[in-house]
Amino acid sequence: MFRTGRLSPRSWLLLGLPPLLLLAVLNPYPYPYPAPWSEAGQGSWQGALRDLKDTALPGGATAALSGCGARGPVRPEPRGAGERDALPQLVVSSYGYYDPGPRKSGHPRFTITAHIAPGDRTLALPAPVGEHRVTVDMYGPRGEGRTASARGLTADVVVGITGKRVKTPKSGEFRFTPDNDLTLQVELPAGALCPGYTFTKITQCSPERTNNVEDCPVMVLTLSDPAIRAHRAGERSESPSAVSDRLVAVTYEPNVTDT
């Protein structure tokens, strides 16, 4: 089972560094097309991408496969004021693929763990958190393009390094404070993988043994909710309609201070 050390949201903000990627275990699924990073796979892979369409995923989400191979800036255009402010902030702490194997309980999962740093004011989000409003996009290293994409996901609220799911409070909302242990966990479905990719491949750096973060994949996690807009509007002079309802986390951005 993969595990990472846990830092508080405030500590993540102070570090201001891209999170460490979890190493994925071997994936048993074969490539549906010749591997796109191989010379033999270039033609068939590019041809497959042109014909891809978005498809429904179990639970009401969508695999945005029509965007496979897309390049350019990975951060989406802001929806309104406050989206790129320091707080509140969504911070990815870890992600990776885990296959328990036939001798252990559970099923293979690609999970993303993220913290919400609300600042000095509590951020209250109704349960389920980000219901059908969570997006995950994976991009290959050095402009390789989008390798996986899902829209309409929902986050689980967990606590501790064991990832134990937290029951919905009687109030019907989760309250995120600077000091609590609540963490978001999002699962990326296998159906969101672009042709030629596996869960193992989308987490690999190229070369694998590198000290350069630019050689590693980039993940973009977004969560939107009207409560986020209300939280931001409480500290800004703009009208609520001009304030973004979205939190965006990018694991690595060149020249991040200019975004």
Side-chain angles (χ1 to χ4, degrees):
M1 178 175 180
F2 62 75
R3 295 181 178 178
T4 59
R6 185 183 180 282
L7 295 176
S8 69
R10 180 172 297 174
S11 297
W12 281 107
L13 290 177
L14 292 174
L15 285 172
L17 295 174
L20 295 177
L21 308 183
L22 291 181
L23 294 179
V25 298
L26 293 178
N27 182 7
Y29 303 112
Y31 297 114
Y33 300 92
W37 58 92
S38 69
E39 184 175 348
Q42 291 294 327
S44 59
W45 178 64
Q46 294 295 339
L49 292 184
R50 286 193 294 269
D51 298 331
L52 287 175
K53 297 181 180 180
D54 295 348
T55 59
L57 293 168
T62 300
L65 301 182
S66 60
C68 287
R71 303 179 184 227
V74 298
R75 177 180 285 270
E77 287 294 320
R79 289 181 173 175
E83 188 170 302
R84 295 183 178 181
D85 289 353
L87 297 170
Q89 188 175 23
L90 183 66
V91 183
V92 175
S93 56
S94 65
Y95 65 83
Y97 175 63
Y98 169 61
D99 186 348
R103 297 184 180 182
K104 295 183 179 180
S105 60
H107 63 278
R109 301 179 67 198
F110 185 100
T111 56
I112 301 139
T113 302
H115 300 282
I116 292 179
D120 295 332
R121 296 173 58 240
T122 296
L123 174 59
L125 296 179
V129 171
E131 186 175 21
H132 301 308
R133 294 191 297 269
V134 176
T135 295
V136 176
D137 288 307
M138 293 291 301
Y139 294 85
R142 296 190 177 277
E144 186 177 306
R146 195 178 298 172
T147 59
S149 185
R151 304 284 186 271
L153 302 173
T154 301
D156 288 326
V157 178
V158 300
V159 65
I161 62 174
T162 60
K164 183 179 180 180
R165 190 170 181 176
V166 180
K167 293 182 179 180
T168 302
K170 293 182 179 180
S171 64
E173 61 183 22
F174 291 97
R175 297 173 64 82
F176 296 87
T177 69
D179 301 316
N180 69 15
D181 293 328
L182 297 182
T183 300
L184 300 183
Q185 191 173 86
V186 179
E187 183 169 350
L188 179 67
L193 291 168
C194 292
Y197 289 93
T198 64
F199 282 136
T200 301
K201 177 58 187 174
I202 66 172
T203 60
Q204 286 179 342
C205 300
S206 181
E208 290 188 47
R209 298 181 181 274
T210 179
N211 292 321
N212 189 346
V213 69
E214 294 183 359
D215 295 331
C216 296
V218 177
M219 189 189 68
V220 182
L221 176 68
T222 72
L223 183 156
S224 64
D225 195 288
I228 297 171
R229 174 180 288 122
H231 181 90
R232 284 184 170 132
E235 295 187 351
R236 304 181 67 91
S237 58
E238 292 92 345
S239 66
S241 61
V243 180
S244 175
D245 66 344
R246 182 171 60 185
L247 299 176
V248 180
V250 182
T251 55
Y252 169 66
E253 286 184 284
N255 302 319
V256 67
T257 56
D258 296 332
T259 61

